[in-house]
Amino acid sequence: MAIDYDKLMAWKFDEVEQTYTQKDTMLYALGLGYGADPMDSGQLQYVYEKDLKAAPTMAVVLGYPGMWMRDPESGIDWVRLVHGEQGVTLHAPIPAEGTVLGRTRVTDIVDKGEGKGAIVYTEREIVDKASGNSLATLWQSTFCRADGGFGGSPESPRKPAAVPETGPDLTDTIATLPQAALIYRLSGDYNPLHAEPEIATAAGFDQPILHGLATFGVAGHSILKHCCDYDPSRLKGIQLRFSAPVYPGETIRTEIWQDGNVISFRSKSVERDVVVLNNGRAELN
Amino acid sequence: MAIDYDKLMAWKFDEVEQTYTQKDTMLYALGLGYGADPMDSGQLQYVYEKDLKAAPTMAVVLGYPGMWMRDPESGIDWVRLVHGEQGVTLHAPIPAEGTVLGRTRVTDIVDKGEGKGAIVYTEREIVDKASGNSLATLWQSTFCRADGGFGGSPESPRKPAAVPETGPDLTDTIATLPQAALIYRLSGDYNPLHAEPEIATAAGFDQPILHGLATFGVAGHSILKHCCDYDPSRLKGIQLRFSAPVYPGETIRTEIWQDGNVISFRSKSVERDVVVLNNGRAELN
């Protein structure tokens, strides 16, 4: 089965309603290294109920429509898809608890050609149910490796943000926990690839890999620490491209370039000296 | 206000009904080092939903009546109380999810004398609501440092289990996470002593301390690993005395003596060479 452009562009997503608690908010942050220094008052704001704040990157686990591409009607070979890029634009700080609505739509489908794959772009708006205010707009690209050649346009609607070729202005290092994937998955992405050794091995990995969005959250943590003084209202947006998997327990070093309110960044696995997140761009308020 | 023996012995506890999910069960275990080796299938049983098992020591976070001694009617100066000992007898494996009832009663009150404190013993039965079967019986002693001299008996109903004076038969070492207290408290004990630096300092500690019952769970993890081959049905009971606080991030080395189905143990903070759990006794089925 192949991608039907018009059908996929008109894909009907159910609105997702999600209620989350302070416990959920703390648990999300604990999987990303917040609280690793229990005496750091900046970190503590994200993992302790007194004046609790939600990490801005938590938007990615809210209102998620699930693995909709598994539906055979999508025409996508979901076994061969890869999360390509992720962006988040924040319109307001994410509340520490509440009920949100997630509204997802397909915005673009790029055809890289037969044997080269397709890229499906989706956008999700997260709305605070009580106030009706939009909290965040997310976009992501999904690289569907088996689905090129459906007769679509090869033009990408987005260009990856460039990272400067000079040395970074600053770096931050966060050690992920060996059990980071097991903690992170309790925020809702229970894909067994991140927990079950046999499934990870079958997928070609030595062991279960960390969720790409967990690494995204770790990089977000570094930016929040060094560029926002741990104030979530200062982060306007963040986006990046996933370039290599991370194994839980690896150390993530994020290289940061700052130009006024524009941050460029990329992240490496220190142990393997591999760039795992690239083309990172954040904007500050 | 002083302890009124008859009144405290007749203290009326509300039955506590608690529904817990697989997520709660995994979260409990993740705070105790289960999953620190994500390739270890023994550990994985406690942190992954496929054939999920509850760690036997999880009984301590089920059906808990809360800080009832804070009620002025108890006559206890709760600010000065210390958790002394904890015991758990398991009648059946704790289900990985379910609804339980907790029924607590005061069983003994010992008077160490004026200026020497009192010891209040409570017992809690945990019942599986659906089947009506008793899952576990817990007992604990609470040392009420300010409440001696109320005119009671100085005789303790329980003697601490002796630990052999020979070298241990085996030892196991588990590194607690720097954020272990922050993870563990999400299982229900939100005492700020374990999270807020200012409150820990006011209580005389350099930083927030780990929950005694978390250290109990770490020692239980070591016993489950080495004496039960990670099979929870093999553990019949476990008890110990809390002898010193643990700081999150410290390494806990548990010394184990095995005599048939009877295990003696104690645990030390490796970094400070201090015995933190003593008079440990476990029984195997």
Side-chain angles (χ1 to χ4, degrees):
Chain A
M1 187 147 175
I3 285 177
D4 176 331
Y5 180 87
D6 291 331
K7 184 174 173 180
L8 207 54
M9 285 295 290
W11 193 268
K12 182 79 183 71
F13 293 85
D14 288 333
E15 183 175 83
V16 175
E17 179 169 328
Q18 181 180 359
T19 296
Y20 63 100
T21 63
Q22 293 198 348
K23 176 177 165 179
D24 295 321
T25 296
M26 293 187 269
L27 179 55
Y28 170 80
L30 285 164
L32 305 176
Y34 294 86
D37 179 354
M39 297 295 281
D40 182 326
S41 59
Q43 293 180 28
L44 201 56
Q45 302 174 85
Y46 296 89
V47 292
Y48 180 46
E49 60 275 12
K50 188 172 167 183
D51 304 323
L52 180 67
K53 295 177 172 63
T57 54
M58 187 177 161
V60 301
V61 301
L62 299 179
Y64 180 61
M67 283 285 282
W68 63 277
M69 290 182 182
R70 285 198 184 191
D71 185 338
E73 288 292 312
S74 75
I76 294 168
D77 180 0
W78 67 269
V79 174
R80 298 195 57 202
L81 62 78
V82 172
H83 195 167
E85 299 156 287
Q86 179 70 54
V88 176
T89 301
L90 295 149
H91 311 306
I94 305 295
E97 62 186 322
T99 299
V100 293
L101 306 172
R103 295 169 185 150
T104 300
R105 63 192 182 96
V106 176
T107 56
D108 295 281
I109 312 169
V110 172
D111 190 353
K112 305 295 282 185
E114 180 74 37
K116 293 179 179 167
I119 304 174
V120 178
Y121 290 81
T122 54
E123 188 177 281
R124 180 161 101 242
E125 189 176 12
I126 299 173
V127 174
D128 180 61
K129 190 184 179 194
S131 68
N133 294 336
S134 180
L135 297 171
T137 305
L138 281 65
W139 68 269
Q140 76 172 66
S141 67
T142 304
F143 184 37
C144 304
R145 288 181 290 164
D147 299 291
F150 64 87
S153 160
E155 289 301 314
S156 289
R158 293 177 180 269
K159 297 276 174 277
V163 168
E165 298 193 5
T166 56
D169 297 325
L170 61 99
T171 63
D172 184 57
T173 301
I174 293 178
T176 67
L177 298 173
Q179 56 273 68
L182 297 167
I183 296 174
Y184 183 81
R185 65 199 303 275
L186 299 185
S187 290
D189 182 347
Y190 288 96
N191 187 334
L193 177 64
H194 306 295
E196 194 167 332
E198 294 74 15
I199 287 180
T201 304
F205 301 107
D206 291 340
Q207 65 169 82
I209 60 172
L210 189 59
H211 303 65
L213 287 176
T215 312
F216 172 89
V218 170
H221 179 181
S222 288
I223 289 166
L224 194 65
K225 184 196 303 182
H226 287 288
C227 308
C228 304
D229 198 22
Y230 274 123
D231 176 356
S233 71
R234 294 197 46 202
L235 190 66
K236 182 174 179 180
I238 178 169
Q239 65 175 54
L240 53 75
R241 184 170 65 81
F242 300 101
S243 53
V246 169
Y247 292 104
E250 290 188 327
T251 309
I252 304 300
R253 181 162 58 227
T254 297
E255 301 174 336
I256 296 171
W257 293 260
Q258 183 154 8
D259 181 10
N261 281 339
V262 177
I263 309 289
S264 301
F265 67 96
R266 68 179 172 199
S267 302
K268 290 180 179 175
S269 155
V270 170
E271 287 78 3
R272 290 179 293 129
D273 194 27
V274 167
V275 175
V276 294
L277 303 176
N278 210 343
N279 309 103
R281 179 64 53 90
E283 283 184 78
L284 307 183
N285 285 311
Chain B
M1 187 147 177
I3 286 178
D4 176 331
Y5 178 86
D6 291 331
K7 184 174 175 180
L8 208 54
M9 285 296 290
W11 192 267
K12 181 82 182 72
F13 292 86
D14 288 333
E15 183 175 82
V16 175
E17 178 169 330
Q18 180 180 359
T19 296
Y20 63 99
T21 64
Q22 293 198 348
K23 177 177 165 179
D24 295 321
T25 296
M26 295 186 269
L27 179 55
Y28 170 80
L30 285 164
L32 306 177
Y34 295 86
D37 179 355
M39 296 296 280
D40 181 327
S41 59
Q43 294 179 28
L44 202 57
Q45 302 173 86
Y46 296 89
V47 292
Y48 179 47
E49 60 276 14
K50 189 170 166 184
D51 304 322
L52 180 66
K53 295 176 171 64
T57 54
M58 187 177 162
V60 301
V61 301
L62 299 179
Y64 180 61
M67 284 284 281
W68 63 276
M69 291 182 182
R70 285 198 185 192
D71 185 337
E73 287 293 313
S74 74
I76 294 168
D77 180 0
W78 67 270
V79 174
R80 298 194 57 202
L81 64 78
V82 171
H83 194 166
E85 299 155 287
Q86 179 70 53
V88 176
T89 301
L90 294 150
H91 311 306
I94 305 295
E97 61 186 325
T99 299
V100 292
L101 307 173
R103 296 169 186 151
T104 300
R105 64 191 181 98
V106 176
T107 55
D108 294 281
I109 312 169
V110 172
D111 190 353
K112 306 296 281 183
E114 180 76 36
K116 293 178 179 169
I119 304 174
V120 178
Y121 291 82
T122 54
E123 188 177 280
R124 179 161 103 241
E125 190 176 12
I126 300 173
V127 174
D128 180 61
K129 189 184 180 192
S131 67
N133 293 335
S134 179
L135 297 171
T137 306
L138 282 64
W139 68 269
Q140 75 173 65
S141 67
T142 305
F143 185 37
C144 305
R145 288 181 289 165
D147 299 293
F150 64 87
S153 161
E155 288 301 313
S156 288
R158 294 177 178 271
K159 296 277 173 278
V163 168
E165 298 193 4
T166 56
D169 297 326
L170 61 99
T171 63
D172 184 56
T173 300
I174 293 179
T176 67
L177 298 173
Q179 56 274 70
L182 297 167
I183 296 173
Y184 183 81
R185 66 200 301 276
L186 299 186
S187 289
D189 182 349
Y190 289 96
N191 186 333
L193 178 64
H194 307 293
E196 194 167 333
E198 293 74 14
I199 287 181
T201 305
F205 301 107
D206 291 340
Q207 63 169 83
I209 60 172
L210 189 58
H211 304 64
L213 287 176
T215 312
F216 173 88
V218 169
H221 179 181
S222 287
I223 289 166
L224 195 65
K225 185 196 303 182
H226 286 288
C227 308
C228 304
D229 197 23
Y230 275 123
D231 176 357
S233 70
R234 294 198 46 203
L235 190 66
K236 183 174 179 179
I238 179 169
Q239 65 176 54
L240 53 74
R241 185 169 66 81
F242 301 101
S243 52
V246 169
Y247 292 104
E250 289 188 327
T251 308
I252 304 300
R253 182 163 56 225
T254 297
E255 301 173 335
I256 296 172
W257 293 259
Q258 183 156 7
D259 180 9
N261 279 340
V262 177
I263 309 289
S264 301
F265 66 96
R266 69 179 172 198
S267 303
K268 289 181 179 175
S269 156
V270 170
E271 287 78 2
R272 289 179 293 128
D273 195 27
V274 168
V275 176
V276 293
L277 303 177
N278 210 343
N279 308 103
R281 179 64 52 92
E283 282 184 79
L284 308 183
N285 285 312

